[in-house]
Amino acid sequence: KKTCKEEPTEWPLVGHLFGMIADLRRPNYHDWATVILAGTRHNFAGHTGLAGVRFFVTCDPSNVRHIFTSSFLNYPKGEEFAEIFDVLGHGIFNADGESWQRQRAKSQLLMAAPRFRSFSARCSRDKVEKSLLPFLAHAADAGARCDLHDVFLRLTFDMTCKLVFGVDPSCLQIGLPDVPFARAMDNVLETVILRHIIPPACWRLMYRYEVGPEKKMAVARRTIDRFAVDMIAKRRSDLNLHVDDIRESPDMLSSFICDGDASYEFLRDTAVNLLLAGRDTTGTALSWFFYLLCKHARVELRIRDELAPIAATKMVAAANDMAVFNVTELSNMVYLHAALCECLRLYPPVPFQHKVAAHSDVLPSGHQMKTGDKILVYSYSMGRMDGVWGKDCMEFRPERWIADDGKLRYEPSYKFIAFNTGPRTCLGKEVAFTQMKVVVAAMLWNFTVEAVPEHVVEPKLSIILHMKNGFAVTMKRRNVTDVQG
Ligand code: HEM
């Protein structure tokens, strides 16, 4: 018997499988999952009878804390996850156990180093100044519509390539060149979600014979591998040409090569994992942020008010000059930080995460897990539960992140799981905030972004919360000398 009428129908033999496949046609799968989780008190247990697979979907903070932290070792990602995401090879996202620990320790050491942090801050500012602002100014002057989602994914792809390879492929430029790697990555992410639902034997066969959605996957994998080979070869030859500079290059690939981890397989897997981690997440977060600002002029004004005293210290002489901000200048902008967190609560770029029960266990919600049970932790739904965030949980209200003393309010990461929680917490959180703040400040100060009214914005069915139809906007310059008064 259904607890909530939106639940997929359970059929004899095949369990919830057909119901879930039929529901793939829904315009917003994540909203549907959210309605079910709200109606089932945050937890839904199902099975796909044929293969005997049991799955459990949860957005219950006490379960999340148990799965990701207190019983972390009992809930690895599992072999099936690694197979579904085979494009990521043995990289950090796919790894469990000792291999994950080794990779995490290495990346953490590198990303926490002051040299890497200042490299990341410098790259973000330079990219905004030299690519993003000129691109948007051109769009504004031409009065043309642009797809802001595409612009941000190009921007964050360039930024991430610079951090990972030390090379900026300049995908964000006037004329918007074709980016085969990015297209391939989008195809991978779309196909991967089907692999979560279609029985493994079926999708493996489809992949082998390159039919149906798996054809796109096979083609995409070849494109991704070609890109990685080219970038690694280029970096190696650059480094060989300037042998003395190898240890000075702050990008991640150079550091790994210097550490002696130079096997092609390791470098390829690391690079592809980091590109996915950096490009899609931050680009997606920025897209939803501007989507929300277009609907909440009040929030946009408050961020501009917060920026005004910083902008006043900058000399902007001519009407068309544009102000650019350093991340250190923005470090005290509490409202901007709160608004970004509020956007990540409602639109987490990674809408759900995948775990498996290594041994039987009982969750804090009382649900019994058996060895091999699949678990989907639904971050998207967690941000939209009134039992977790209060009756106004569907409202975009940055103020909820600000305490009475005007400082940022602490929210535990098992409740705000956009960056994950526990030992596998996102390693790029600081890089991501740096990039987002520098981009938002420069765009809001120099431009007005207007959403094209008739354009429908909704999430794509993908493991990243991409926008299905993009985000059509028009840009208008703000006269910075006037507003500085
Ligand atoms: C708004 C931006 C971002 C969000 C929302 C985000 C979110 C996440 C989430 C949810 C995970 C866990 C994924 C999983 O275990 O399946 C994760 C892991 C990770 N993220 Fe991020 N991320 C962001 C930006 C970045 C950036 C810019 C980088 C690096 C340049 C990065 C590097 C990583 C790495 C290396 C991991 C793996 C950690 C591990 O497994 O131990 N992330 N991130």
Side-chain angles (χ1 to χ4, degrees):
K1 189 174 180 308
K2 292 184 181 185
T3 319
C4 154
K5 73 175 179 19
E6 295 287 332
E7 281 176 32
T9 307
E10 182 179 1
W11 295 93
L13 294 176
V14 293
H16 296 95
L17 180 66
F18 287 172
M20 281 164 54
I21 292 177
D23 281 308
L24 285 174
R25 284 170 309 172
R26 284 175 184 266
N28 187 341
Y29 204 77
H30 305 307
D31 278 346
W32 170 65
T34 305
V35 171
I36 295 177
L37 287 168
T40 56
R41 286 203 228 113
H42 307 171
N43 298 297
F44 174 72
H47 69 103
T48 51
L50 266 182
V53 177
R54 289 167 28 117
F55 65 87
F56 182 66
V57 188
T58 184
C59 67
D60 176 337
S62 58
N63 285 345
V64 169
R65 180 151 61 155
H66 180 85
I67 292 166
F68 285 88
T69 308
S70 9
S71 293
F72 174 71
L73 291 177
N74 194 41
Y75 294 98
K77 290 195 168 180
E79 281 166 22
E80 195 186 327
F81 179 93
E83 207 191 345
I84 288 179
F85 286 87
D86 51 4
V87 67
L88 298 175
H90 301 291
I92 188 166
F93 278 107
N94 257 359
D96 276 317
E98 209 199 309
S99 160
W100 163 73
Q101 255 170 358
R102 227 179 319 110
Q103 296 191 55
R104 179 155 179 114
K106 221 170 216 189
S107 298
Q108 196 163 23
L109 195 69
L110 180 70
M111 293 172 83
R115 190 171 80 137
F116 183 79
R117 286 176 181 216
S118 61
F119 177 54
S120 147
R122 204 169 57 244
C123 291
S124 305
R125 189 197 183 282
D126 284 358
K127 189 68 193 168
V128 166
E129 183 174 22
K130 295 186 183 131
S131 296
L132 180 66
L133 293 184
F135 179 90
L136 296 176
H138 180 266
D141 295 344
R145 282 182 183 193
C146 67
D147 176 357
L148 204 53
H149 187 44
D150 182 41
V151 169
F152 284 143
L153 289 178
R154 285 168 183 271
L155 174 80
T156 48
F157 181 60
D158 285 348
M159 284 174 163
T160 313
C161 281
K162 184 81 182 169
L163 293 182
V164 175
F165 299 112
V167 177
D168 176 349
S170 297
C171 296
L172 180 61
Q173 57 171 285
I174 293 159
L176 297 177
D178 184 36
V179 188
F181 177 93
R183 218 172 344 102
M185 210 40 138
D186 292 347
N187 286 339
V188 165
L189 298 177
E190 280 167 41
T191 314
V192 150
I193 204 162
L194 299 177
R195 286 185 174 186
H196 277 82
I197 296 166
I198 297 173
C202 295
W203 68 252
R204 278 187 211 127
L205 211 62
M206 287 158 89
Y207 180 71
R208 183 153 170 211
Y209 294 104
E210 297 194 11
V211 291
E214 290 291 334
K215 181 172 178 164
K216 276 205 280 187
M217 178 66 114
V219 175
R221 285 203 55 172
R222 289 194 281 274
T223 308
I224 288 169
D225 282 342
R226 230 177 3 253
F227 179 83
V229 172
D230 289 351
M231 290 301 248
I232 292 167
K234 179 164 179 4
R235 198 70 199 126
R236 272 189 169 147
S237 93
D238 285 355
L239 293 171
N240 285 338
L241 290 175
H242 312 284
V243 179
D244 288 340
D245 291 334
I246 290 181
R247 299 211 166 267
E248 298 308 314
S249 302
D251 63 276
M252 303 180 88
L253 203 65
S254 303
S255 303
F256 288 131
I257 290 174
C258 290
D259 271 4
D261 270 317
S263 85
Y264 168 72
E265 200 200 14
F266 172 83
L267 295 177
R268 180 259 176 226
D269 291 350
T270 305
V272 173
N273 277 256
L274 289 168
L275 282 178
L276 173 69
R279 170 218 176 211
D280 290 277
T281 49
T282 316
T284 300
L286 281 166
S287 307
W288 289 108
F289 188 71
F290 276 90
Y291 166 76
L292 285 167
L293 287 191
C294 286
K295 291 172 159 256
H296 298 86
R298 176 189 73 83
V299 175
E300 183 177 340
L301 279 178
R302 278 208 59 181
I303 298 174
R304 284 212 185 101
D305 284 349
E306 207 176 29
L307 267 174
I310 308 167
T313 63
K314 294 182 184 291
M315 294 292 293
V316 178
N320 270 357
D321 278 357
M322 289 185 277
V324 188
F325 301 85
N326 295 319
V327 72
T328 39
E329 291 172 323
L330 306 174
S331 58
N332 292 328
M333 288 191 57
V334 171
Y335 195 82
L336 171 60
H337 195 95
L340 287 167
C341 291
E342 180 68 344
C343 168
L344 290 163
R345 175 182 74 84
L346 286 168
Y347 293 98
V350 183
F352 62 83
Q353 295 183 56
H354 186 136
K355 292 280 190 182
V356 69
H359 303 287
S360 56
D361 187 20
V362 180
L363 294 176
S365 60
H367 291 85
Q368 180 89 43
M369 294 293 106
K370 285 193 189 160
T371 304
D373 280 359
K374 285 205 246 180
I375 301 172
L376 288 188
V377 174
Y378 234 104
S379 326
Y380 180 90
S381 305
M382 169 98 85
R384 291 156 186 259
M385 290 293 131
D386 56 12
V388 180
W389 289 97
K391 288 273 170 252
D392 63 354
C393 62
M394 297 304 287
E395 277 174 41
F396 176 58
R397 204 172 61 78
E399 289 74 9
R400 83 175 75 238
W401 291 88
I402 301 175
D404 292 342
D405 62 2
K407 294 192 179 138
L408 280 167
R409 183 191 299 282
Y410 166 77
E411 290 291 0
S413 56
Y414 56 83
K415 176 178 168 196
F416 174 55
I417 52 171
F419 291 101
N420 211 359
T421 177
R424 289 195 87 136
T425 294
C426 172
L427 282 174
K429 186 173 173 185
E430 196 177 307
V431 172
F433 271 113
T434 297
Q435 294 177 338
M436 292 190 292
K437 285 178 182 175
V438 171
V439 169
V440 171
M443 279 182 65
L444 282 190
W445 194 253
N446 297 297
F447 295 99
T448 303
V449 181
E450 280 173 15
V452 171
E454 66 277 13
H455 182 85
V456 178
V457 176
E458 54 193 11
K460 196 192 250 185
L461 181 61
S462 168
I463 56 144
I464 300 283
L465 207 63
H466 283 164
M467 291 172 161
K468 197 189 308 181
N469 315 307
F471 179 28
V473 301
T474 50
M475 305 295 306
K476 295 205 171 44
R477 283 181 188 261
R478 292 177 77 232
N479 187 331
V480 176
T481 43
D482 281 0
V483 292
Q484 276 186 328

